């Protein structure tokens, strides 16, 4: 039997939503980079590639934070 899943904290829910938004931003930056063409400068292409990588890594970290099963630190009063 798998362990009981603890109720997600509000900050974990917010980080899950932020992870999805960062993933969408990564896709947008990647599409802009793909359709930049030859007329775009090297600086523009480098900044779009850096933004794509940044949003990918942020979305990965936020997704891990959102799906982590955190223990309860409350003491049981009996």
């Amino acid at each position: 039997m798998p362990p009981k899943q603890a109720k997600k904290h509000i900050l974990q829910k917010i980080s899950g939503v932020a992870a999805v938004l960062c993933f969408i931003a990564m896709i947008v930056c990647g599409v802009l980079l793909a359709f930049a063409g030859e007329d775009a400068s090297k600086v523009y292409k480098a900044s779009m590639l850096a933004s794509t990588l940044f949003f990918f890594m942020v979305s990965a970290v936020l997704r891990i934070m959102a799906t982590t099963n955190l223990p309860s630190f409350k003491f049981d009063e009996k």
Side-chain angles (χ1 to χ4, degrees):
M1 178 173 245
K4 185 178 177 183
Q5 186 76 338
K7 186 177 178 184
K8 297 291 181 193
H9 193 269
I10 186 70
L11 294 176
Q12 284 184 295
K13 293 177 184 177
I14 291 171
S15 68
V17 171
V20 171
L21 293 175
C22 284
F23 191 77
I24 292 170
M26 178 205 66
I27 292 172
V28 169
C29 288
V31 167
L32 288 175
L33 179 64
F35 291 116
E38 293 296 322
D39 56 343
S41 67
K42 290 182 180 180
V43 174
Y44 177 78
K45 290 180 181 179
S47 65
M48 277 296 132
L49 184 61
S51 297
T52 303
L53 180 66
F54 172 77
F55 284 125
F56 173 72
M57 297 309 286
V58 169
S59 68
V61 169
L62 288 175
R63 188 70 186 156
I64 290 170
M65 289 172 52
T67 57
T68 301
N69 189 9
L70 297 175
S72 175
F73 293 113
K74 295 180 181 177
F75 292 107
D76 292 332
E77 295 180 11
K78 293 183 180 183

